[in-house]
Amino acid sequence: MLIVKKFGGTSVANKERIFNVAKRCIEDYKNGNKVVVVLSAMGKQTDVLLDMAKDINPKASRRELDMLLTTGEQTSVALMAMAMDSLGVPAVSMNAFQVAMHTTADYGSARIKRIDTERIKNELDNRRIVVITGFQGINKYDDYTTLGRGGSDTTAVALAAALHADACEIYTDVDGVFTADPRIVPKARKLGEITYDEMLELASLGAGVLHNRSVEMAKKYGVQLVVRSSLNTSEGTVVKEESNMEKMLVSGVAADKNVVQIAVEGLENKPGVAFKLFQHLANHNVNVDMILQSVEHDGTQDISFTVTEDMADTAIETIERHAHTSLKCSNTEVVKDVSKVSIVGAGMMTNAGVAAKMFEALYDAGVNILQISTSEIRVTVLIEEKYTDIAAQAIHDAFSLES
Amino acid sequence: MLIVKKFGGTSVANKERIFNVAKRCIEDYKNGNKVVVVLSAMGKQTDVLLDMAKDINPKASRRELDMLLTTGEQTSVALMAMAMDSLGVPAVSMNAFQVAMHTTADYGSARIKRIDTERIKNELDNRRIVVITGFQGINKYDDYTTLGRGGSDTTAVALAAALHADACEIYTDVDGVFTADPRIVPKARKLGEITYDEMLELASLGAGVLHNRSVEMAKKYGVQLVVRSSLNTSEGTVVKEESNMEKMLVSGVAADKNVVQIAVEGLENKPGVAFKLFQHLANHNVNVDMILQSVEHDGTQDISFTVTEDMADTAIETIERHAHTSLKCSNTEVVKDVSKVSIVGAGMMTNAGVAAKMFEALYDAGVNILQISTSEIRVTVLIEEKYTDIAAQAIHDAFSLES
């Protein structure tokens, strides 16, 4: 078997953890498998480097930032290869140049285009464990690029696809994907399997065990993923196209407190106003989520939407800059104490009444719904933040997701 | 003009110093010059990385060590490019892959074979300052290599040669090359010029302002060097083939306390004994300096030699391992409190009496000579370490080297 194993920064944060990872990989190696290991930078090293850069130049170019950040994973892979060597197993570290890992030109948010697999295959054939830098690539200018936050997951999936790996294991600090966050819903149950689509909805809803783009890529290339813990040997959750189990109505409940609702009031009620508003926001890279447009009142209307907390200031500034020119709104209001609670499940799309059951559970728990949005396999409600845990628990109970 | 400027780790150890270097380079740039900057890792970063490696695997492979160490210079060049950008001057950082800087395959002690200059030239033509990682290269396997301690000097000289640079400036924390160490001889004078050969003798004698191999390469390719301070704007010392000045008898006095004398006693007096001894030492990478072979006494002889302090243990262990087999010696003795004091000067070879004058000065100062060795442009004496400063001062006075 050819196995790709990815470990995040927490798993290689110090000497002890590096050796733990090394031993896990060596176990697979000694069982006769070919082993490729993808690593992130140690612990908080990426943040340390970003702080160094900020101190020198708060507006540093992404090209130079990527040049700086890529030292993080290179440090991890070199130390990991040394650890494996010291345990008597030949290992070789490789960075994005050595692989080579070709990406688009976009510094800071590049996408993988092509992976040269020749050297990796040679090293594997020579019975070495190959330890590869996650998160980084090189572009057509021979410059380093990075794949954005969580990019190491994507590196692992891309390598698994290019090498036609038999398994792609994503190690994390939880046991797998759960029916809800176990810190909120104590009886949450680990899922044995989940589909790519369900995982995508969960990831984008703040239950993010996996980086969204890695799941998209896994779906595209049919790479079966296993999400499992680097701390124990429990089996984890398999992410794949179709669940073998009877399709569950609802796979899980996701809660996301990292949400702010912004209301823009007194907008002129004429064509193109909403377009202009969201155009301005998009120009400033503000991702807008749940949108609600009020009915007209005295020739004006209100539009509210949600954004993640870190984008709230940018959103407000953007709107206020245009408040007296292209937008002509009377007021903006920010509601910080809101959260999103969602149910996700591939079975939902063929099953009526799921949303109703969710709303009923919330009503019984005394939770008021501020806004609703849905997709084929998801229902999301916006509620007051203080009710988040109660809501998640109530929905979890209503759908009998407990273990 | 195309100027190559090299700054060591001390010069880029923190934000303030990085900006100092950036400003110096920008001055040249704004005067219309093309500027290439070569940097070492920040401060003691190389040692920090070596300690990390040692902690993981004390016998880490040189291949993985080089993979780890090369992150140091990459960090420096990225931060420097950011600093220059923030001062309004476009800059681009490049590592050994991006250059590409081709070396021999020897990890840890590679030699530069060939430098691709196309991208550097393009970036310079686009009016960018090019900031390049010193100390590192890539070999035919597409692996990182390093050039050994002080290797960044060599990188700078090699770049100056490949780019046909008009100037190659090596920045350090002293004002240039002196007639003696100013900490020992307060009246030591900064030399305006010095020949490659003199510089080579001085470097190998512990007056090391420049890395030996960088001087050898500068001599080979006729790259004129300037050694100057990164802390002030004084003119520094020019290192070149021929001094324009009337050749001085003696250019300088070098003192080296990093010396241990090892005496191997009671060796059989038969052919091949000295060969075997030094063969064993060479096999363990022990570089031997001043050798003294005693006259025979009762069929045995003694051989003594000097090594640097860090190699003393290896030398002793090596000899004792063979003391009863191939070597058959009765005893080894280590004398730690010795030092070397030397005079260096291109004028020496055509001038008799220089050595005699040196010995006279030492005699007058009451310093006993333990051993003597000479080259065409150098006379070295081994003396008791406690007399080092007195000896250097006395010789400096005798040849009137003071300013």
Side-chain angles (χ1 to χ4, degrees), chain A residues 280-301:
Chain A
H280 287 311
L281 292 169
N283 287 343
H284 290 83
N285 290 316
V286 178
N287 264 323
V288 166
D289 193 18
M290 305 176 78
I291 299 172
L292 185 71
Q293 190 160 354
S294 73
V295 288
E296 184 186 344
H297 179 73
D298 290 339
T300 67
Q301 62 178 351

Side-chain angles (χ1 to χ4, degrees), chain B residues 357-377:
Chain B
K357 194 171 183 177
M358 179 186 187
F359 302 156
E360 185 188 6
L362 291 170
Y363 172 79
D364 287 344
V367 179
N368 194 28
I369 298 172
L370 305 175
Q371 214 172 313
I372 299 167
S373 94
T374 60
S375 81
E376 280 196 323
I377 63 165

Side-chain angles (χ1 to χ4, degrees), chain B residues 292-314:
Chain B
L292 184 72
Q293 191 160 354
S294 73
V295 288
E296 185 188 345
H297 179 74
D298 291 341
T300 67
Q301 60 177 353
D302 305 341
I303 293 180
S304 69
F305 55 86
T306 60
V307 296
T308 54
E309 280 174 359
D310 58 326
M311 294 311 284
D313 289 347
T314 313

Side-chain angles (χ1 to χ4, degrees), chain B residues 335-364:
Chain B
V335 187
K336 292 207 165 150
D337 51 353
V338 290
S339 69
K340 289 193 294 186
V341 175
S342 311
I343 51 173
V344 171
M348 226 181 271
M349 56 181 126
T350 53
N351 209 307
V354 173
K357 194 171 183 177
M358 179 186 187
F359 302 156
E360 185 188 6
L362 291 170
Y363 172 79
D364 287 344

